[in-house]
Amino acid sequence: MEAEERPSKKLRLSEDDHVDQLVAKETSNALDSNVELGNEENDIVIDPQSEQTGYPDPMQDDVEDQVLSTQEAHNNDPTQPAKEINLPPPDETAPLIDTTNGSSEAPPMSKSQRKKLLKKQEWESKRGERKVIRKEKVVAKRERRKAERQQETEANGGVPLPPPVKKPKAQKPVTLPVTILIDCDFDDLMRDNERISLAAQITRSYSDNKNAMFRAHLAVCSFGGELLERFDSILTHYKSWRGVRFLDCDFVSAAEKAQEWMLDPEQGGTLAGSFSSFAGGDQEAQLKHESETVYLTSEAEETLTELRPYSTYIIGGLVDKNREKGICYKRARQRGVKTAKLPIGEFMEMQSRKVLATNHVNEIMLRWLECGDWGRAFMKVIPKRKGGKLKGEAQSDGREERAEAGMQEDSDDDGGGGGVELEEDDHDAAARTTE
């Protein structure tokens, strides 16, 4: 029996092994099919950004859905061509690299620029100290005068000296119907130090006009850019200036506005000083009708002989060390504005260029409004470093030098023809003066 049962048991064991093998094979096939299905339908492509956050990218999911739908449509009908897939641009799916690091960095400065910046910061930081030093100087000067006064009293035997004579009160200034206009439309042509110089010249022009006996209407046009920034940050007191107008329009529009305020019956001004000869009668009405706008420039062909009431005279507010030569003349001609130059060559002999600073031209015209003489105005204003002399004085100085040289030659040559030559030279000089 045992021999007969053993083969059957062995058979049953072999059948069970066969069944287990079939089950394992079916399970393996099922797992493979699930993996393939997952690869086709359920796989998620994770980009580097999604791996960092732990969430899939929704934009990437939309792209995969579009790809799967296209593959299914192609599998259902292989005869149809595959549909073209419209992918989004790279800048929508991938973040852009931030190269600014969250802040806008200024371009690197040169060594000289850094020195200037440090020097400016140091100057601004010591503003309060300079104010204290100025006050201390005023107090020290007052104490010094008091001590000198006491010493003089003691030297006088203890008898107090009479008080110093007070200066007579200055005459009240008079405003004349004439406008001096400073054109500052050259901000982009100047360097930082040149803008600083121009700001100082405008300040000086305002001061000269305010302290003049006969004032003009002073205006600054095209007032903007970095020049305006300097006034707003450093020269903030300009906002309280009286008798000056700051305009943002160009010189043509500013000249039209100047005509309006000069014709104002209350604030236009009176015909006094050098304009006193024009007062009265129908002559004043004719002058209002014959008013003109003149741009002063050294390149002009016409020479200015006099200032006329109800007219506007424009000064180019430019400090450029003669880099932009003739730019004021060209700009005036392009806008159809009359140009003229001051009669420096007719009254003065200069040892340097005849180009003057903005405040010098302004002061020369103010002096002329006071005395009506160009020669006197030039001598009071033109700096001595330019070596300017009136033509008559220059000729007399030349005669004196030649006379001294002739006397020296006479003493060396025991008398010769030097005296006659000097007389001829004097005659020639007198003839030239008469001409």
Side-chain angles (χ1 to χ4, degrees), residues 135-418:
K135 289 184 178 180
E136 292 176 353
K137 288 182 178 180
V138 172
V139 174
K141 186 177 181 180
R142 189 184 299 117
E143 294 295 334
R144 186 170 59 253
R145 287 183 177 179
K146 185 177 179 180
E148 292 175 356
R149 188 77 177 172
Q150 187 175 358
Q151 291 177 0
E152 292 176 357
T153 302
E154 294 176 355
N156 197 28
V159 180
L161 298 175
V165 180
K166 294 183 178 180
K167 296 181 180 180
K169 292 184 178 180
Q171 185 179 355
K172 187 177 181 180
V174 181
T175 302
L176 306 183
V178 63
T179 298
I180 298 177
L181 183 62
I182 301 177
D183 181 18
C184 297
D185 194 17
F186 307 96
D187 190 74
D188 56 338
L189 300 178
M190 292 184 291
R191 304 186 180 101
D192 291 338
N193 59 331
E194 294 170 344
R195 294 188 189 92
I196 294 173
S197 179
L198 177 60
Q201 293 179 19
I202 294 175
T203 304
R204 181 63 182 270
S205 299
Y206 160 74
S207 178
D208 292 338
N209 188 60
K210 183 188 70 172
N211 298 325
M213 180 66 64
F214 298 98
R215 299 177 178 175
H217 293 276
L218 182 63
V220 181
C221 66
S222 299
F223 189 61
E226 297 186 20
L227 180 65
L228 175 59
E229 293 179 2
R230 174 165 180 80
F231 273 88
D232 287 339
S233 59
I234 306 298
L235 306 174
T236 55
H237 59 283
Y238 85 97
K239 298 178 181 178
S240 60
W241 290 356
R242 302 178 63 181
V244 60
R245 297 174 174 86
F246 291 93
L247 309 173
D248 56 357
C249 58
D250 62 357
F251 63 91
V252 176
S253 301
E256 296 175 355
K257 294 182 179 180
Q259 195 65 25
E260 297 177 1
W261 65 59
M262 284 188 293
L263 295 177
D264 189 297
E266 297 181 358
Q267 301 180 357
T270 58
L271 295 175
S274 299
F275 290 164
S276 57
S277 59
F278 298 109
D282 299 335
Q283 189 175 6
E284 184 174 356
Q286 184 178 359
L287 289 172
K288 294 180 180 179
H289 182 70
E290 296 177 353
S291 62
E292 58 184 3
T293 301
V294 181
Y295 207 121
L296 299 177
T297 170
S298 59
E299 288 81 13
E301 298 179 358
E302 185 176 349
T303 302
L304 189 67
T305 57
E306 63 177 358
L307 304 181
R308 298 184 64 83
Y310 306 102
S311 296
T312 301
Y313 297 93
I314 307 173
I315 306 173
L318 175 62
V319 180
D320 64 338
K321 307 301 181 183
N322 208 29
R323 291 193 310 272
E324 306 291 338
K325 188 174 182 180
I327 187 171
C328 295
Y329 176 77
K330 295 176 183 177
R331 185 167 296 187
R333 298 294 293 176
Q334 289 174 358
R335 302 299 299 274
V337 176
K338 180 182 177 182
T339 59
K341 59 183 176 182
L342 294 176
I344 300 178
E346 298 181 3
F347 291 87
M348 302 288 293
E349 286 190 1
M350 305 290 292
Q351 296 181 3
S352 62
R353 295 187 304 125
K354 299 179 181 179
V355 180
L356 301 175
T358 300
N359 60 297
H360 290 155
V361 180
N362 172 77
E363 189 178 359
I364 287 172
M365 290 192 288
L366 292 175
R367 294 290 185 180
W368 189 92
L369 293 176
E370 179 181 348
C371 63
D373 186 351
W374 287 115
R376 290 174 58 188
F378 290 143
M379 290 301 299
K380 288 183 179 180
V381 177
I382 293 179
K384 294 182 179 180
R385 66 177 183 273
K386 289 186 174 290
K389 293 183 179 180
L390 289 175
K391 283 195 171 182
E393 295 180 359
Q395 292 171 356
S396 62
D397 293 343
R399 289 196 297 269
E400 292 177 359
E401 292 177 359
R402 288 193 295 270
E404 293 177 358
M407 292 175 61
Q408 185 176 1
E409 290 178 0
D410 292 342
S411 61
D412 294 340
D413 299 339
D414 296 331

